[in-house]
Amino acid sequence: MNVPRPCVDRKDLEEILKDLGLESFYREKLPLSKILEINKKMINDDPPKCKSDLPFYFLKKLMMVNATARKTECTSVCESNCDDTSSTDELNLDDLLVSLNMTDKLNPLDIITALFLCSDVFVQQELALKMSMCQFSVPLLLPNCDTERCTLMLWAMRDIVKKYRPPDLSESKGFIEERIVLSELPMVSFVRLGECSLSKSEILNKLLSNSEQYHDTFVHHNMECGDSPRRISDGLTEITWYLPCGNKNMDIFSEPVAIANLRGDIASFEIQYSFLCQTSAAIFIFFDQLDSEFKLLTNKNHKAQIFLVGNQQSKNFTFDSVKKLATSLALTKNNILIKSKQTNDADFVKLLRNRVNDVVNNSQKKMSVEQMANVAHELGIIVDENSPECQAGKKNADAITAEIEDTLQYKKDQLPLQGQIWKELTCLEKEEFRLRKVGSENIENYKCNLQREREKLRKKQNNYAMSKAMTSFITAISSQETERRYFLKWLRINLDNQSRIKLSNLREMYKEKCRDSENKQEIKEIDQRLSSSSLGTEHFFREMGQIYEASLYLPETDPSRQQLQHLPKLCAQLLLDGFPLELVDGDASNIPLRWVSDVLSQLNDLVSPKNKILVVTVLGVQSTGKSTLLNTMFGVQFAVSSGRCTRGAFMLLIKVNEDFKKVLNCDFMVIIDTEGLKSPELAQLDNSYEHDNELATLVVGLSDITIINIAMENSTEMKDILQIVVHAFLRMKEVGKKPQCQFVHQNVSDVSAHEKNLRDRKLLLEQLDEMTQAAAKMEKKEENKSFTDVMEYNPDTGNCYIPGLWNGNPPMAPVNAGYSEAAYELKKNIIQQLGKCGSASNNILEFRVWITSLWNAVKHENFIFSFRNSLVVDAYMRLSTEYNKWEWEFKKEMYTWVTKAETRISNCGTVAAKSEITDMKEFITVLKTDIKYLHQCVPSVANKSFTQGKPCM
């Protein structure tokens, strides 16, 4: 509906960047660390007051995946319009007309284009990913009026992963999950020729939306600020995807399809139009008149099917020109769509939908975005992946992943140090502290033997030569910063792609074998392979940590040891760059303490004296959305969609802006994401309680605030975990601080939830108090009378209710704005709480010492972690007491009986004895009767213990 305007020039770009306050980022691109840093604006609810506020307001909303991010009107504009029309009661139509025609607003597309032009490639990737999650269209071809060339945004879209269910998988309930740039789909493009009275983008939104749930995928004229003239975004080509869910009553298109939308007149953007013609299955051309542009439309090289879309109500529309062009292009009546006066929008969209459906179902032309790069090269379009650093990073990553055929075998061959040896080392470390198997052996000798065993295992690790994969990995992450970042992104992408394919195949095998219940052993083997087949960048960093720790057992002058001394600094730099560090190895349930300590020491050296930190952790049952919550709150990207749940615990560093350091009294915020507790695959193991309780105690002990993530159906399990954490804290002298607790109740959308759940919150606290008192009594620390004596918790402010993640039915549902807003309120609350306890912030070296002492305390704990909750502990203690009483009574009876029996036997044959027992056979019968009586006493005494109101396990 926008009036065509000439192609923008450099002056337009300079003006708009200046207006937006982005001019400094045009040459020196905006980094991700700048967007993620904690600052005043992060917890400021004020809307943007001037144009320079708009970009970071948009980024703040978008990084939290808020679907309202494109509402970008300044309050100053709203207020001035309001003041102009209401400041006087006197009628002045001239002033009213002037105020209505004020164009001090910016089109959202201009803001998006400016941000993409001013951001580095890693920010562009984040923007595209978050926009896709909001179901916004993302840039396919990005115009730049400075260079007068456009760029294919292939790299920017690399991180977008989509799941959908085509019709052929509906019955089996299967699904397809893949990176969208690799999906070969038909693309249908929508363009405008000349002036057009129909709003192409608004019609597209209706085309892609169900009647019961409309969504603005594309910015259009009737959106907030959508009617503002575009200044730098003409020539922008956007793309989105329609993906079916497998329900024919809900799906608009039964097959997946890509939808492209070119902004501006194709007469002004012939290169973009040519690109679309060569990559699309069909092009729908919106027009009002067709007098002079036949040559552009009749290009023989353009093989896409052409559809003409006109508006009969336009004064410039003529049937003659349509007929002439239709004859020239040999179009049928199905290729011409005319909106008449008698056709309303709903009927017209239905007609358009039918035509697109025909194209999708019958098209032989399918192309992935990755394949479109070849067309882009031919047309002189820049491809964002063509930079030398990107290609070098890709080459290094491909060299590593090309060798992977069987994941399990690859891990054994290329990453051997983290396998069985590391698990044995973990068991030895814990046994050194717990001494469970010492028996009657001298304790000091036993410990010395364990240390010798540990040294043998470290020597065994050192006997392995560094594998080819690890040599390539360490070389690649030692390269310059941009290339290193590209390499790690490419490696993660490649590994995720391979894992996704392998896991999909294993799931299919598992499903087939489950149909035959006799194949129990095979099912068990496939289940084990499913658990062990994950391979991510964390495995390479884990191996690097083991290589480093093993090298410390070599002599200091050994060249092999000296060559590896730079590894902690390398990892510390990656932490500063925004990459996560594995704190707890999820497979071995252990912390490589020396490795983590040395990385943190190097980190401290890199940032000193600005080294104060506050720690936020999340804890919850598996698959309750912990990583998603952290990603939404802080804009980070903990893994959530690679077919693998988080294992262990990962820490991420977020910088605190200078203007906010005085409020928080820290320089960095550490975010720790943890493995889901109560994992079904771990539940089969004997030590599953121990694993969960150790992890929970560690992360709660490390944190200043712990987010306890609860889905209503597993709240009991979380209470069990919390009881053990409290009990462990009472037992461990090393825990010298009170972590704060914030309960997050997921999937609760009722506005009255906080009020209605007051009783439940009170009941929860009463139960936790009861458990704390029981634990304190057992530990003889009865001064701890309530849960809040051990952990900081306020029932009124310490609970947050968050609605469901999706607004509608995936895969076409955007993230629920209510979810984003609730996560934002939680984030504000947490930052405010941290501000109050900011004086207690640690520096990085203190945090390092704290990790070591806390983990050692956890390893010392030999008893409490083996239980489900404090009630079971209490039951066990009572039962043990009863058992000891019963054992003593039984021993006393046995002693008395043996003494009497020995006396009788020794007296056998004497005159006195003969008077009592005349026959030896009769004597033996009496002894047997006594033994039988004692044997019967065992169950009766035990039964008496349980029937007298004693708790049992």
Side-chain angles (χ1 to χ4, degrees):
M1 215 161 170
N2 290 79
V3 178
R5 60 194 297 273
C7 188
V8 289
D9 58 23
R10 184 171 183 172
K11 189 178 177 183
D12 288 301
L13 180 61
E14 288 174 353
E15 284 179 3
I16 202 163
L17 293 182
K18 189 175 179 181
D19 287 345
L20 292 170
L22 293 174
E23 65 269 33
S24 61
F25 296 113
Y26 186 61
R27 299 299 172 198
E28 292 292 327
K29 301 298 184 188
L30 180 66
L32 192 57
S33 57
K34 176 74 176 172
I35 295 171
L36 297 182
E37 69 180 12
I38 312 289
N39 55 40
K40 286 180 181 176
K41 291 180 180 177
M42 183 169 281
I43 59 168
N44 188 346
D45 291 329
D46 293 340
K49 291 184 170 61
C50 57
K51 289 180 182 178
S52 60
D53 291 340
L54 292 174
F56 287 96
Y57 179 79
F58 172 81
L59 287 172
K60 171 186 162 183
K61 292 273 191 180
L62 185 65
M63 296 310 282
M64 293 189 70
V65 206
N66 193 320
T68 65
R70 293 179 304 190
K71 293 182 178 179
T72 54
E73 188 167 6
C74 300
T75 52
S76 60
V77 175
C78 301
E79 288 164 4
S80 63
N81 283 344
C82 183
D83 292 342
D84 288 342
T85 55
S86 61
S87 59
T88 178
D89 294 331
E90 189 178 322
L91 182 64
N92 189 330
L93 292 178
D94 291 335
D95 287 348
L96 179 62
L97 188 61
V98 169
S99 68
L100 291 174
N101 288 331
M102 282 178 67
T103 56
D104 197 30
K105 295 189 292 183
L106 285 174
N107 193 295
L109 289 173
D110 283 339
I111 297 170
I112 291 168
T113 302
L115 278 169
F116 269 91
L117 289 173
C118 292
S119 299
D120 73 22
V121 289
F122 304 104
V123 173
Q124 288 178 348
Q125 203 171 65
E126 284 293 314
L127 296 182
L129 175 64
K130 307 286 187 187
M131 288 171 74
S132 176
M133 289 177 71
C134 291
Q135 294 296 344
F136 296 166
S137 57
V138 297
L140 176 66
L141 297 176
L142 183 72
N144 187 337
C145 46
D146 187 11
T147 60
E148 296 186 358
R149 295 181 71 183
C150 58
T151 304
L152 177 66
M153 305 300 285
L154 175 57
W155 171 258
M157 291 187 276
R158 277 277 176 197
D159 245 3
I160 301 174
V161 177
K162 296 285 189 181
K163 295 178 189 173
Y164 61 94
R165 181 176 290 150
D168 53 325
L169 293 179
S170 292
E171 193 172 328
S172 65
K173 303 297 180 188
F175 64 94
I176 292 173
E177 180 183 12
E178 62 184 347
R179 293 191 184 274
I180 203 68
V181 295
L182 302 178
S183 300
E184 293 187 13
L185 306 174
M187 184 164 82
V188 179
S189 297
F190 293 79
V191 301
R192 167 170 66 83
L193 178 61
E195 202 175 322
C196 186
S197 52
L198 290 175
S199 176
K200 168 169 55 78
S201 298
E202 191 169 13
I203 287 171
L204 272 178
N205 291 338
K206 291 176 181 176
L207 176 79
L208 297 170
S209 299
N210 282 313
S211 56
E212 64 276 7
Q213 189 173 18
Y214 174 83
H215 179 68
D216 284 322
T217 303
F218 295 96
V219 174
H220 60 87
H221 187 82
N222 289 317
M223 274 178 63
E224 188 175 294
C225 298
D227 56 339
S228 301
R230 293 193 297 267
R231 293 166 62 186
I232 61 169
S233 53
D234 273 339
L236 173 68
T237 305
E238 303 161 276
I239 188 170
T240 191
W241 299 269
Y242 184 86
L243 304 169
C245 67
N247 186 328
K248 61 183 180 181
N249 295 323
M250 297 177 68
D251 287 332
I252 294 169
F253 305 114
S254 57
E255 295 289 345
V257 57
I259 303 290
N261 183 19
L262 171 60
R263 301 291 181 165
D265 185 356
I266 58 174
S268 302
F269 301 102
E270 291 190 30
I271 290 177
Q272 286 93 323
Y273 177 63
S274 295
F275 174 84
L276 294 177
C277 286
Q278 293 183 48
T279 55
S280 302
I283 292 190
F284 286 76
I285 301 170
F286 283 66
F287 68 93
D288 274 357
Q289 65 182 71
L290 293 168
D291 291 341
S292 58
E293 301 298 340
F294 281 15
K295 187 179 178 183
L296 183 65
L297 301 179
T298 54
N299 190 323
K300 302 286 186 197
N301 295 325
H302 298 168
K303 298 174 183 177
Q305 194 176 352
I306 299 289
F307 288 82
L308 300 177
V309 183
N311 184 10
Q312 189 184 5
Q313 297 171 65
S314 169
K315 61 182 180 181
N316 297 319
F317 180 84
T318 60
F319 269 110
D320 289 341
S321 60
V322 174
K323 188 176 179 182
K324 187 176 179 183
L325 180 59
T327 305
S328 175
L329 295 174
L331 300 180
T332 67
K333 66 176 182 179
N334 286 336
N335 294 72
I336 300 170
L337 292 84
I338 306 297
K339 187 175 187 300
S340 65
K341 289 180 181 179
Q342 290 76 33
T343 312
N344 64 20
D345 283 355
D347 291 336
F348 185 69
V349 167
K350 187 177 179 182
L351 177 65
L352 187 60
R353 204 173 270 170
N354 289 337
R355 296 292 184 271
V356 172
N357 218 359
D358 291 341
V359 171
V360 173
N361 291 332
N362 300 314
S363 175
Q364 300 299 312
K365 187 172 185 178
K366 296 181 179 180
M367 189 179 287
S368 67
V369 177
E370 191 175 65
Q371 291 166 342
M372 292 178 190
N374 296 325
V375 177
H377 289 138
E378 291 171 10
L379 294 170
I381 294 172
I382 301 166
V383 179
D384 61 356
E385 285 187 358
N386 283 354
S387 69
E389 296 89 350
C390 182
Q391 290 304 307
K394 185 177 189 299
K395 183 180 177 183
N396 291 334
D398 289 348
I400 291 174
T401 54
E403 302 293 323
I404 304 172
E405 290 181 4
D406 182 280
T407 304
L408 290 174
Q409 193 59 45
Y410 182 85
K411 285 161 85 169
K412 285 178 185 175
D413 295 342
Q414 299 296 325
L415 311 172
L417 272 63
Q418 64 185 271
Q420 191 57 36
I421 301 176
W422 174 225
K423 288 176 182 173
E424 288 175 22
L425 275 166
T426 298
C427 293
L428 277 177
E429 277 183 26
K430 289 183 181 177
E431 183 58 23
E432 272 187 70
F433 285 94
R434 295 176 182 175
L435 304 174
R436 285 177 174 174
K437 301 173 185 176
V438 64
S440 58
E441 190 177 342
N442 179 279
I443 290 177
E444 291 305 316
N445 290 341
Y446 184 66
K447 282 187 175 181
C448 288
N449 290 336
L450 290 176
Q451 286 168 8
R452 280 194 288 271
E453 281 296 315
R454 185 172 62 180
E455 285 170 9
K456 280 182 188 176
L457 289 171
R458 287 299 188 189
K459 187 176 179 181
K460 194 174 177 182
Q461 284 184 322
N462 280 317
N463 287 338
Y464 282 98
M466 192 184 293
S467 66
K468 181 183 173 184
M470 283 309 299
T471 304
S472 301
F473 180 80
I474 291 171
T475 303
I477 63 169
S478 303
S479 56
Q480 60 93 6
E481 182 187 351
T482 306
E483 186 179 317
R484 176 173 68 225
R485 290 170 68 99
Y486 269 121
F487 162 72
L488 287 170
K489 277 280 189 178
W490 275 117
L491 184 63
R492 182 174 64 78
I493 287 167
N494 289 355
L495 291 172
D496 280 358
N497 289 345
Q498 291 193 350
S499 289
R500 201 170 284 115
I501 293 165
K502 286 181 171 61
L503 288 170
S504 177
N505 293 337
L506 284 171
R507 277 193 290 262
E508 282 301 313
M509 286 171 62
Y510 187 82
K511 198 186 291 183
E512 284 177 21
K513 297 294 180 186
C514 282
R515 293 191 188 109
D516 184 0
S517 57
E518 293 178 8
N519 292 327
K520 288 184 179 177
Q521 186 57 37
E522 287 184 46
I523 291 170
K524 191 176 180 181
E525 286 173 9
I526 296 170
D527 192 40
Q528 183 60 40
R529 285 172 66 189
L530 273 167
S531 299
S532 308
S533 287
S534 66
L535 180 60
T537 53
E538 68 272 16
H539 291 89
F540 289 86
F541 281 112
R542 189 183 299 168
E543 188 74 8
M544 194 164 87
Q546 285 305 301
I547 290 169
Y548 177 77
E549 286 204 333
S551 75
L552 298 177
Y553 284 77
L554 297 170
E556 285 189 17
T557 55
D558 193 300
S560 298
R561 176 171 176 169
Q562 291 175 348
Q563 287 169 7
L564 299 170
Q565 294 308 295
H566 71 293
L567 294 183
K569 186 174 182 179
L570 208 56
C571 202
Q573 185 58 56
L574 287 167
L575 253 177
L576 274 179
D577 291 343
F579 289 94
L581 168 70
E582 185 178 56
L583 196 61
V584 179
D585 177 344
D587 291 330
S589 299
N590 197 6
I591 298 178
L593 271 179
R594 187 61 191 275
W595 166 246
V596 171
S597 294
D598 288 357
V599 170
L600 291 174
S601 293
Q602 290 295 328
L603 178 66
N604 185 72
D605 292 344
L606 288 172
V607 301
S608 282
K610 299 177 179 180
N611 62 355
K612 283 193 171 183
I613 60 170
L614 287 170
V615 184
V616 176
T617 62
V618 67
L619 201 63
V621 175
Q622 191 181 56
S623 299
T624 51
K626 299 178 301 301
S627 302
T628 302
L629 180 63
L630 287 180
N631 291 349
T632 307
M633 286 169 64
F634 296 102
V636 294
Q637 205 182 129
F638 286 113
V640 292
S641 62
S642 59
R644 297 175 286 116
C645 286
T646 306
R647 295 293 300 270
F650 292 85
M651 63 175 281
L652 201 65
L653 214 59
I654 299 179
K655 190 177 179 182
V656 176
N657 190 278
E658 291 292 335
D659 69 355
F660 211 57
K661 284 182 181 179
K662 289 181 181 178
V663 177
L664 287 179
N665 192 29
C666 73
D667 303 289
F668 294 93
M669 192 178 285
V670 173
I671 312 296
I672 299 179
D673 185 26
T674 61
E675 169 181 346
L677 307 174
K678 304 292 181 183
S679 159
E681 60 195 63
L682 289 177
Q684 306 163 25
L685 305 177
D686 294 335
N687 65 343
S688 64
Y689 288 137
E690 193 171 292
H691 170 86
D692 285 353
N693 295 335
E694 285 177 359
L695 181 66
T697 303
L698 175 76
V699 297
V700 173
L702 289 177
S703 65
D704 293 288
I705 286 191
T706 301
I707 300 168
I708 309 293
N709 197 50
I710 299 176
M712 299 316 269
E713 62 272 15
N714 56 46
S715 57
T716 304
E717 292 172 323
M718 275 314 301
K719 277 189 282 188
D720 290 345
I721 297 286
L722 273 176
Q723 290 167 33
I724 293 296
V725 169
V726 169
H727 204 138
F729 277 18
L730 288 170
R731 289 176 71 93
M732 296 189 307
K733 295 176 184 175
E734 282 77 2
V735 180
K737 64 177 181 179
K738 284 173 67 175
Q740 295 189 57
C741 249
Q742 183 78 37
F743 286 90
V744 173
H745 306 267
Q746 293 268 8
N747 303 317
V748 182
S749 54
D750 191 345
V751 292
S752 62
H754 193 275
E755 192 69 30
K756 283 184 176 178
N757 287 296
L758 177 64
R759 185 167 168 271
D760 290 339
R761 293 198 301 276
K762 191 170 180 295
L763 184 62
L764 170 65
L765 188 57
E766 285 173 2
Q767 289 172 338
L768 292 172
D769 285 346
E770 187 183 323
M771 303 306 170
T772 305
Q773 288 163 16
K777 190 174 181 181
M778 276 184 267
E779 302 304 325
K780 296 183 172 54
K781 295 182 179 179
E782 295 182 41
E783 68 275 10
N784 298 287
K785 298 189 181 299
S786 65
F787 178 70
T788 52
D789 289 336
V790 184
M791 298 180 78
E792 199 77 47
Y793 168 62
N794 184 328
D796 295 323
T797 59
N799 286 273
C800 175
Y801 296 90
I802 295 186
L805 176 63
W806 301 110
N807 181 24
N809 193 49
M812 290 308 296
V815 170
N816 183 0
Y819 180 91
S820 300
E821 290 293 343
Y824 171 64
E825 289 300 321
L826 173 63
K827 179 182 179 178
K828 272 202 314 180
N829 187 29
I830 284 173
I831 290 173
Q832 286 164 359
Q833 299 264 38
L834 288 172
K836 292 174 186 175
C837 72
S839 58
S841 61
N842 296 319
N843 64 41
I844 292 170
L845 291 180
E846 289 169 340
F847 181 65
R848 183 194 68 163
V849 173
W850 188 246
I851 289 175
T852 304
S853 60
L854 188 57
W855 186 239
N856 284 339
V858 167
K859 286 191 289 188
H860 263 297
E861 177 52 64
N862 187 28
F863 171 74
I864 199 71
F865 293 138
S866 304
F867 295 93
R868 178 182 170 185
N869 59 34
S870 294
L871 280 178
V872 179
V873 177
D874 189 40
Y876 179 83
M877 298 285 278
R878 292 187 186 211
L879 183 60
S880 295
T881 304
E882 288 299 318
Y883 177 80
N884 289 335
K885 287 180 185 176
W886 166 57
E887 186 182 31
W888 169 243
E889 287 176 14
F890 183 70
K891 282 181 177 178
K892 190 170 72 172
E893 287 286 335
M894 281 295 297
Y895 181 77
T896 304
W897 179 83
V898 168
T899 304
K900 286 181 180 177
E902 284 177 345
T903 304
R904 286 177 181 179
I905 292 169
S906 62
N907 291 336
C908 189
T910 65
V911 176
K914 284 178 180 178
S915 64
E916 293 180 19
I917 303 171
T918 55
D919 187 21
M920 179 62 73
K921 287 182 179 178
E922 186 182 343
F923 173 60
I924 291 170
T925 303
V926 170
L927 291 178
K928 284 181 177 178
T929 304
D930 287 346
I931 291 170
K932 189 175 181 181
Y933 168 73
L934 287 170
H935 182 70
Q936 288 170 343
C937 281
V938 174
S940 65
V941 173
N943 186 53
K944 187 181 176 184
S945 297
F946 286 109
T947 55
Q948 286 181 339
K950 304 295 184 187
C952 64
M953 290 173 72

